[in-house]
Amino acid sequence: MKIPAPTPRAGEVVTIERYVPSRESEPPIAEVFPHTPSPSWAVGSSREVDQDRLARQAHQITDTTINTVSFLTLLEENVVEEPDYIEPNFAGPGQLVLIAGPPKAQKSLLLQEMLVSCALGAPFLLETFTVSQPLRVFWLQAEMNRKLLRKRAREFEDLTNADRQLLGQNLVISERFRMLLDDGGVKKTVKTIRASFPDGKMPDVIAIDPLANVFDGDDENQSAQLLRFLTTRLEKIRQDVNPMAVIVLVHHSAKRSADELARDPFSTIRGSGALRGYYDSCIVISRPNEETKTRKIHFELRSGEAPAPMTVVYSKGRFRKEAEGAAIDKAMARRMLADLRAAWEAGKPWALTAQCRPEGRHAAYNLSRAYRIKPTEVTALINEWARLNVITLRPRITRKRPAGFEVTGTLD
């Protein structure tokens, strides 16, 4: 039944509230994503909050009112601030986090580490970010079937029994589906999330992975269409599930060179005109080159200073420090650079293309054999040198001078 809006008298300001049906008034849900509720013995709890306070905060961020406050009130309010869900300054109530990167950058693996850590209340990404306490999490993912989800879940070999119980209670994942988040898709998603948490304690974190598979517009590169999706689709899900939830959105970025990524990795995000002004925190993950297993991660935080970029490698469910990096010290790097210079001066410069190997000019292969270092590590070092202009790739001039690296800088 619709509740008619009151007719204002002259000079009277009326706030129009949305009618939201109670859960009891909704029809039973017949079809949801496969999920077996956690057993009654599962331990750990979702965020303990004051329900009255939560209701007030939820009211404050609905789209039907704009609340105001004087600056003096802000100065004099005596409030004990609760910690963000993910610290420092990464994700708090009602915020949006973006994870972006080109194809095969391991965005979903990074998201998985984050969500597992949220459910456990554990730090992630080399303990850069801490989670204030175990959070309830719903992961709406549209790419992986159950077989692949099982495979990735089993990579977490160090989970204790207590960890398993927390994950059983706090983390729910959808299997692969094909559905856009239009009006009908939003309603079905909300019903699915509610059914996945039958005790009524709604998730603190809602992850959408990836945007491209659920976007109901014509072109996600159009800022206006993307902004409409963010405000009318994702916000609708958040408001109907838990207005204080953090939304984590996974999105693609364009492939760019190492130089472009180093200058501004966030400008490569598709539709970034809308996204960059909308998200509260962002992680961009990329692959330095096609031959390496390492990943470069950059951060941008609206509410604080971002951590320094990091180079990591994925192993057993988590991103870890690049173990091979310590094998090359500065003395060895100088010798490698001298070998590149000698090859250039001899008229047979080294490069990284596949056709160089039969000719004996493949830089990574030659240096890895000479110094007993993994080729992926050498390749990463060479690409870093190219980015810093220590070496420069010169095009082919004649048959006597093929394309290859010339040393154009120093390591000092």
Side-chain angles (χ1 to χ4, degrees):
M1 147 178 164
K2 290 187 178 179
I3 299 175
T7 302
R9 303 187 188 91
E12 181 183 8
V13 177
V14 176
T15 299
I16 301 175
E17 302 284 354
R18 285 187 305 144
Y19 170 65
V20 181
S22 65
R23 293 191 61 198
E24 290 75 18
S25 66
E26 294 178 354
I29 301 162
E31 295 182 4
V32 299
F33 295 116
H35 167 60
T36 303
S38 56
S40 58
W41 44 260
V43 300
S45 61
S46 62
R47 292 184 67 89
E48 296 295 335
V49 296
D50 183 329
Q51 294 301 320
D52 291 337
R53 179 172 176 274
L54 179 61
R56 290 195 302 273
Q57 290 175 321
H59 175 76
Q60 289 173 0
I61 63 173
T62 58
D63 55 1
T64 57
T65 57
I66 299 177
N67 293 286
T68 62
V69 60
S70 74
F71 194 80
L72 180 60
T73 301
L74 296 175
L75 286 172
E76 296 180 347
E77 274 185 329
N78 185 16
V79 177
V80 178
E81 302 288 0
E82 289 189 4
D84 286 340
Y85 294 163
I86 305 175
E87 300 180 280
N89 303 311
F90 186 75
Q95 294 188 338
L96 185 137
V97 175
L98 181 70
I99 296 177
K104 307 301 180 183
Q106 299 182 333
K107 298 182 293 295
S108 292
L109 291 174
L110 175 56
L111 175 65
Q112 177 178 262
E113 180 186 354
M114 178 190 298
L115 299 184
V116 168
S117 296
C118 285
L120 296 176
F124 62 93
L125 272 184
L126 308 183
E127 300 191 356
T128 302
F129 299 104
T130 58
V131 180
S132 57
Q133 61 179 303
L135 305 171
R136 286 206 156 184
V137 180
F138 186 87
W139 181 3
L140 184 74
Q141 67 84 30
E143 290 188 324
M144 293 177 283
N145 59 27
R146 193 163 184 144
K147 179 180 179 181
L148 182 54
L149 288 171
R150 252 193 322 265
K151 178 182 177 182
R152 291 190 173 183
R154 289 171 179 171
E155 292 180 351
F156 290 86
E157 299 176 352
D158 57 350
L159 297 175
T160 65
N161 288 335
D163 291 339
R164 290 170 178 267
Q165 291 171 1
L166 278 172
L167 291 171
Q169 176 173 336
N170 291 340
L171 177 56
V172 179
I173 309 169
S174 71
E175 294 186 34
R176 184 178 184 179
F177 65 92
R178 291 176 175 86
M179 177 187 73
L180 298 180
L181 288 182
D182 51 16
D183 286 334
V186 168
K187 291 178 182 177
K188 186 171 184 179
T189 298
V190 170
K191 289 182 178 180
T192 301
I193 297 174
R194 288 177 174 173
S196 298
F197 297 89
D199 60 3
K201 296 179 180 178
M202 291 297 102
D204 306 293
V205 180
I206 303 170
I208 313 290
D209 176 23
L211 181 147
N213 287 39
V214 297
F215 182 67
D216 70 327
D218 298 321
D219 184 0
E220 64 194 49
N221 288 309
Q222 294 294 323
S223 292
Q225 292 189 30
L226 188 53
L227 186 60
R228 174 185 171 276
F229 178 81
L230 295 171
T231 55
T232 66
R233 304 306 189 201
L234 297 194
E235 286 297 339
K236 174 66 173 173
I237 293 173
R238 172 157 47 195
Q239 294 295 323
D240 288 354
V241 173
N242 175 9
M244 305 307 294
V246 171
I247 290 181
V248 183
L249 179 64
V250 176
H251 188 38
H252 297 299
S253 66
K255 285 189 174 181
R256 293 289 187 269
S257 66
D259 284 345
E260 289 177 284
L261 282 170
R263 284 195 297 269
D264 188 359
F266 306 96
S267 65
T268 65
I269 302 170
R270 289 159 64 176
S272 60
L275 278 169
R276 201 166 187 182
Y278 200 85
Y279 62 67
D280 296 281
S281 301
C282 180
I283 298 177
V284 171
I285 181 170
S286 61
R287 196 176 187 176
N289 60 75
E290 296 296 326
E291 299 181 18
T292 182
K293 293 183 179 180
T294 62
R295 297 295 186 268
K296 193 78 172 182
I297 300 180
H298 295 81
F299 306 93
E300 187 171 63
L301 277 61
R302 187 184 303 277
S303 301
E305 185 176 351
M310 62 177 64
T311 301
V312 294
V313 62
Y314 178 80
S315 174
K316 296 182 179 180
R318 295 181 174 86
F319 285 89
R320 308 173 191 273
K321 289 183 179 179
E322 185 184 7
E324 304 91 342
I328 300 180
D329 57 20
K330 197 163 187 178
M332 183 184 292
R334 289 182 187 279
R335 295 197 298 272
M336 290 180 171
L337 199 62
D339 291 342
L340 286 172
R341 181 182 288 108
W344 172 265
E345 292 174 351
K348 297 180 179 181
W350 294 351
L352 292 176
T353 56
Q355 59 266 32
C356 290
R357 186 162 178 173
E359 301 171 4
R361 298 189 302 107
H362 196 280
Y365 179 75
N366 294 344
L367 292 173
S368 66
R369 288 194 63 188
Y371 295 94
R372 297 184 179 180
I373 302 296
K374 290 184 178 181
T376 55
E377 183 182 353
V378 177
T379 300
L381 179 64
I382 289 174
N383 282 322
E384 186 70 7
W385 281 347
R387 185 183 72 83
L388 298 173
N389 296 318
V390 175
I391 58 176
T392 303
L393 181 62
R394 301 299 189 190
R396 177 179 179 271
I397 300 176
T398 65
R399 288 184 178 180
K400 294 183 179 181
R401 176 69 72 180
F405 292 113
E406 178 186 8
V407 177
T408 53
T410 67
L411 299 182
D412 297 323

